[in-house]
């Protein structure tokens, strides 16, 4: 039998995850050695859209930007990468390094070792290992282009780059462009391509970050090839023992319930919303606090104003005033990296907002729990723990009155464009036969009228966005699955909600469920993948449209 490309891709993803779990249980491996061969081969067979030209000789630049933003500064210099649990480094003299696009604590132990703290479950481990595999494949491309086989010497372009980086030379504009030309040769890219990427990499503290990154990637690959100094990834014994036991999720959920009890909110009607930390707060409070700005900026324009980086003072004002009108901010201390807002709506003067309370009695005003985004499998851990009854200090058991659970997030869309909206009717869990149909209280017609295209259908919960390719996604879209998009948390959330409401009786079986996503990318469309950049202000409209409809249904 001849297998289709989508079948081969599905098998490659399965091999990836089986291999990663095996290596995790083993405790260590060498990514560019024999033990890492299956990961490399599977990734090269898949050719995920997010990693672009990974299987070609030239260096993949957009994928490199995407990965570097999600890994700690300086990791390209480290031969040893250690994945740990929360093992007390925050109380040491080591300064935490937090990647630009991922909330995780990392610590540079010495010149050669980087420790990465894992508190968000297996999905975080898969994410990191996939990114590192890509990074090391790209580093060996660099090595192969600069190494002269005959005498193990290196090219003139490489020696020029090495001299600038190791001696931290200051460059004139002309010298900078000369080096960019040499780097373009090393990477197999045009001057125009490397010029643009250099601008993206540059920071105020490190204007030559692009040169440093390329040099150290290539240098460590040279060390592996010429001196057998293999890069090694290890998993601490504490991490291996703690994964799968909901240790962080339980602490996180109990912290929230303790605040609810302390504020006498534990027995009030509760509505849980998984979203970012600004959309619900701004939707309710911004129009009543920023009265002058509201007059000048109608509707979504006000929220675009607040999302502008230059308006930090306005955002602080909203948060401070909201805390005087029912908003309680619960900063995470558990390690989950999921902050929470609790909103006591009885303290809000709704006559000053755009919302009208229709569904709540005066003596039972709803309490809204807004939890920041979970990551992959962490969604099950956190929601499962949050929905469990709470045993307070007096040993009283509190079954919380959860009336609705709303999930709003970003997702890849398979038909449509960035910033369009997706309304799922079911979640299909990739790599398994598991599927989760449900009644979604949000419907396509609820989100029409905002000038945004809306799609309705099943969605795929993927094991990782960084291992999806066109063949696999076209299968989900074109086959009888009729999938409209992909994301990483939906099935995990629904699994926790169904078990809590339908089997364990932790919450009412009639709990209302809402899911809606806005498109952060279209992985089937060249130039619209996650690696091509963020949404910018185009994501503000769908975010607040979804938020508005969720709040209208709650109130």
């Amino acid at each position: 039998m001849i297998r289709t490309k989508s079948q081969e891709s599905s098998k490659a993803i399965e091999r990836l995850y089986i291999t990663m779990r095996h290596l995790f249980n083993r405790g260590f491996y060498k990514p560019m050695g024999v033990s890492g061969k299956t990961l490399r081969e599977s990734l090269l067979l898949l050719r995920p859209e997010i990693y672009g030209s990974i299987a070609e000789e030239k260096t993949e630049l957009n994928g490199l930007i995407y990965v570097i933003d999600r890994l700690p500064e300086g990791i390209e210099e480290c031969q040893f990468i250690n994945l740990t649990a929360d093992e007390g480094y925050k109380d040491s003299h080591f300064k935490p390094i937090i990647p630009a696009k991922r909330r995780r604590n990392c610590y540079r132990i010495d010149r050669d070792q980087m420790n990465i703290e894992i508190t968000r479950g297996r999905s975080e481990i898969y994410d990191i290992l996939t990114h590192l595999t890509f990074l090391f494949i790209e580093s060996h491309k660099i090595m192969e282009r600069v190494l002269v086989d005959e005498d193990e010497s290196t090219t003139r372009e490489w020696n020029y780059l090495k001299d600038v980086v190791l001696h931290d030379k200051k460059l004139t504009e002309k010298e900078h462009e000369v080096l960019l030309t040499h780097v373009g040769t090393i990477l197999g890219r045009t001057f125009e391509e490397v010029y643009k990427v250099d601008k993206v990499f540059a920071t105020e503290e490190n204007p030559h970050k692009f040169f440093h990154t390329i040099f150290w990637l290539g240098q460590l690959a040279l060390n592996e090839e010429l001196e057998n100094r293999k890069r090694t990834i290890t998993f601490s014994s504490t991490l291996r023992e703690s994964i799968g036991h909901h240790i962080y999720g339980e602490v996180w959920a109990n912290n929230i319930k303790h605040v609810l009890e302390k504020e006498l909110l534990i027995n009030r009607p509760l509505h849980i919303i998984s979203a970012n930390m600004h959309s619900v707060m701004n939707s309710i409070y911004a129009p009543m606090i920023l009265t002058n700005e509201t007059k000048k900026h109608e509707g979504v324009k006000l929220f675009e104003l607040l999302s502008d980086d230059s308006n930090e003072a306005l955002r602080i004002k909203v948060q401070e005033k909201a805390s005087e009108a029912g908003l309680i901010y619960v900063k995470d201390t558990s390690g989950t990296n999921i902050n929470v807002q609790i909103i006591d709506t009885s303290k809000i003067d709704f006559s000053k907002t755009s919302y009208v309370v229709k569904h709540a009695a005066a003596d039972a005003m709803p309490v809204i729990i807004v939890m920041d985004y979970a990551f992959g499998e962490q969604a099950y851990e956190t929601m499962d723990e949050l929905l469990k009854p709470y045993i307070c200090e007096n040993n009283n058991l509190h079954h919380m009155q959860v009336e609705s659970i709303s999930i709003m997030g970003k997702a890849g869309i398979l038909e449509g464009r960035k910033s369009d909206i997706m309304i799922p009717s079911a979640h299909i869990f990739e790599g398994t036969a598991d599927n989760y149909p449900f009644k979604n209280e949000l419907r396509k017609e609820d989100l029409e009228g905002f000038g945004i295209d809306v799609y309705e259908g099943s969605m795929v919960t993927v094991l990782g966005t960084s291992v999806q390719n066109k063949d696999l996604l076209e299968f989900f879209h074109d086959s009888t699955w009729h999938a409209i998009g992909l994301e990483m948390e939906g099935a995990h959330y629904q699994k926790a909600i169904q078990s809590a409401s339908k089997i364990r009786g932790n919450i009412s079986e009639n709990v209302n469920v809402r899911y809606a996503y806005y498109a952060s990318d279209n992985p089937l469309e060249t130039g619209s993948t996650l690696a091509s950049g963020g949404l910018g202000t185009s994501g503000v409209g769908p975010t607040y449209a979804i938020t508005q409809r969720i709040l209208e249904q709650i109130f």
Side-chain angles (χ1 to χ4, degrees), residues 72-81 108 110-114 135-136 165 206 212-213 215-217 219-220 223 229 231:
E73 184 99 17
I75 196 167
E76 68 279 358
E77 301 175 19
C78 297
Q79 182 183 349
F80 304 101
I81 298 167
R108 185 77 178 263
D110 55 32
R111 187 187 70 176
D112 296 318
Q113 181 177 332
M114 180 72 75
L135 204 62
F136 296 157
V165 171
N206 188 2
H212 283 257
T213 302
F215 170 73
W216 285 110
L217 284 176
Q219 186 59 50
L220 265 65
N223 293 345
R229 289 159 57 187
R231 283 169 285 195

Side-chain angles (χ1 to χ4, degrees), residues 84-86 98 101-105 116-128 239 242-244 246 248-249 332 334-339 371-382 488-489 492-493:
T84 74
D86 181 355
I98 301 173
K101 297 290 179 68
R102 281 283 186 268
R103 296 191 302 270
R104 58 173 67 111
N105 290 330
I116 302 176
E117 214 169 71
I118 305 295
T119 58
R120 309 183 79 173
R122 288 192 184 93
S123 293
E124 188 170 23
I125 295 172
Y126 301 155
D127 185 62
I128 291 168
L239 175 64
S242 64
I243 284 292
H246 290 202
Y248 301 105
D332 176 60
S334 68
T336 61
N337 283 308
I338 299 177
N339 296 318
M371 56 180 284
D372 209 343
Y373 297 125
F375 188 76
E377 289 185 21
Q378 187 191 34
Y380 175 76
E381 174 180 341
T382 50
M488 286 184 62
E489 292 79 33
H492 301 297
Y493 275 131

Side-chain angles (χ1 to χ4, degrees), residues 482-495:
H482 298 308
I484 57 170
L486 66 149
E487 47 75 55
M488 286 184 62
E489 292 79 33
H492 301 297
Y493 275 131
Q494 191 59 26
K495 181 166 61 172

Side-chain angles (χ1 to χ4, degrees), residues 263-275:
E263 299 294 330
L264 304 178
L265 304 173
I266 193 90
N267 295 315
R268 290 258 296 276
L270 299 175
H271 299 265
I272 299 168
I273 303 176
S274 172

Side-chain angles (χ1 to χ4, degrees), residues 237-391:
S237 56
T238 306
L239 175 64
R240 285 185 285 148
E241 289 166 6
S242 64
I243 284 292
H245 294 297
H246 290 202
I247 292 170
Y248 301 105
E250 183 179 12
V251 174
W252 172 82
N254 283 334
N255 287 344
I256 296 165
K257 294 168 190 175
H258 177 71
V259 174
L260 289 170
E261 182 195 22
K262 180 184 171 185
E263 299 294 330
L264 304 178
L265 304 173
I266 193 90
N267 295 315
R268 290 258 296 276
L270 299 175
H271 299 265
I272 299 168
I273 303 176
S274 172
N276 53 55
M277 287 284 97
H278 56 78
S279 56
V280 175
M281 178 181 67
N282 287 346
S283 290
I284 296 173
Y285 292 103
M288 58 189 285
I289 293 168
L290 305 177
T291 51
N292 291 333
E293 288 78 6
T294 303
K295 292 173 184 174
K296 299 175 187 174
H297 302 84
E298 292 185 5
V300 74
K301 296 293 182 184
L302 175 65
F303 306 123
E304 288 178 351
L305 182 75
L306 283 165
S307 68
D308 192 311
D309 291 340
S310 64
N311 291 319
E312 178 70 15
L314 289 178
R315 291 195 291 273
I316 292 172
K317 182 179 179 180
V318 171
Q319 189 164 340
E320 288 177 347
K321 293 292 183 182
S323 65
E324 299 170 8
L327 186 139
I328 304 164
Y329 182 66
V330 185
K331 185 171 177 57
D332 176 60
T333 56
S334 68
T336 61
N337 283 308
I338 299 177
N339 296 318
V340 168
Q341 294 163 339
I342 298 172
I343 301 174
D344 179 1
T345 62
S346 69
K347 295 182 179 179
I348 297 171
D349 182 355
F350 278 92
S351 66
K352 297 179 181 178
T353 75
S354 58
Y355 297 100
V356 178
V357 179
K358 299 175 182 176
H359 310 300
D363 60 345
M365 289 291 286
V367 174
I368 299 173
I369 300 172
V370 184
M371 56 180 284
D372 209 343
Y373 297 125
F375 188 76
E377 289 185 21
Q378 187 191 34
Y380 175 76
E381 174 180 341
T382 50
M383 188 61 74
D384 183 59
E385 293 296 332
L386 185 57
L387 298 181
K388 286 180 180 178
Y390 177 57
I391 302 174

Side-chain angles (χ1 to χ4, degrees), residues 11-271:
K11 195 67 179 175
I13 289 176
E14 184 182 357
R15 277 201 307 273
L16 264 173
Y17 286 96
I18 290 172
T19 302
M20 285 193 277
R21 291 187 82 140
H22 165 71
L23 295 173
F24 173 70
N25 291 328
R26 180 188 181 199
F28 74 96
Y29 78 105
K30 295 176 180 178
M32 299 310 291
V34 175
S35 53
K37 185 179 179 182
T38 303
L39 290 185
R40 300 196 308 272
E41 288 179 344
S42 297
L43 210 59
L44 289 169
L45 175 63
L46 271 173
R47 301 190 184 192
E49 297 308 306
I50 209 167
Y51 295 148
S53 57
I54 184 174
E56 300 175 23
E57 285 186 14
K58 61 185 178 182
T59 300
E60 166 54 34
L61 296 179
N62 284 333
L64 186 62
I65 294 169
Y66 181 85
V67 166
I68 289 295
D69 276 347
R70 286 154 179 80
L71 293 173
E73 184 99 17
I75 196 167
E76 68 279 358
E77 301 175 19
C78 297
Q79 182 183 349
F80 304 101
I81 298 167
N82 189 18
L83 273 59
T84 74
D86 181 355
E87 299 177 19
Y89 288 104
K90 61 179 178 293
D91 301 320
S92 70
H93 71 279
F94 295 114
K95 184 179 178 182
I97 305 168
I98 301 173
K101 297 290 179 68
R102 281 283 186 268
R103 296 191 302 270
R104 58 173 67 111
N105 290 330
C106 310
Y107 301 91
R108 185 77 178 263
I109 303 303
D110 55 32
R111 187 187 70 176
D112 296 318
Q113 181 177 332
M114 180 72 75
N115 282 15
I116 302 176
E117 214 169 71
I118 305 295
T119 58
R120 309 183 79 173
R122 288 192 184 93
S123 293
E124 188 170 23
I125 295 172
Y126 301 155
D127 185 62
I128 291 168
L129 295 188
T130 310
H131 289 337
L132 288 174
T133 303
F134 162 80
L135 204 62
F136 296 157
I137 289 172
E138 293 300 317
S139 75
H140 271 244
K141 287 186 195 176
I142 296 169
M143 178 269 294
E144 288 164 1
R145 292 184 71 92
V146 302
L147 188 61
V148 179
D149 291 334
E150 289 80 11
D151 55 3
E152 295 186 348
S153 61
T154 48
T155 63
R156 183 176 73 92
E157 293 84 1
W158 178 257
N159 295 335
Y160 194 102
L161 174 63
K162 181 177 182 179
D163 184 49
V164 169
V165 171
L166 292 184
H167 295 97
D168 198 21
K169 287 188 173 181
K170 306 297 180 187
L171 301 176
T172 65
E173 190 174 343
K174 183 178 179 181
E175 289 170 334
H176 190 97
E177 291 185 353
V178 169
L179 185 53
L180 278 176
T181 302
H182 291 325
V183 170
T185 301
I186 291 168
L187 303 182
R189 292 288 186 171
T190 66
F191 176 81
E192 181 182 21
E193 288 172 325
V194 294
Y195 180 84
K196 288 178 180 176
V197 173
D198 178 56
K199 294 288 186 187
V200 175
F201 267 82
T203 64
E204 196 171 321
E205 302 79 27
N206 188 2
H208 296 154
K209 182 179 177 180
F210 180 53
F211 296 148
H212 283 257
T213 302
I214 297 304
F215 170 73
W216 285 110
L217 284 176
Q219 186 59 50
L220 265 65
L222 285 167
N223 293 345
E224 287 189 321
E225 181 70 16
L226 302 179
E227 302 172 24
N228 201 33
R229 289 159 57 187
K230 300 289 186 185
R231 283 169 285 195
T232 305
I233 295 174
T234 58
F235 309 91
S236 75
S237 56
T238 306
L239 175 64
R240 285 185 285 148
E241 289 166 6
S242 64
I243 284 292
H245 294 297
H246 290 202
I247 292 170
Y248 301 105
E250 183 179 12
V251 174
W252 172 82
N254 283 334
N255 287 344
I256 296 165
K257 294 168 190 175
H258 177 71
V259 174
L260 289 170
E261 182 195 22
K262 180 184 171 185
E263 299 294 330
L264 304 178
L265 304 173
I266 193 90
N267 295 315
R268 290 258 296 276
L270 299 175
H271 299 265

Side-chain angles (χ1 to χ4, degrees), residues 451-470:
I452 302 167
D453 288 342
V454 185
Y455 298 87
E456 193 169 34
S458 61
M459 291 188 70
V460 185
T461 297
V462 298
L463 292 162
T465 54
S466 56
V467 291
Q468 307 305 308
N469 68 10
K470 282 187 177 180

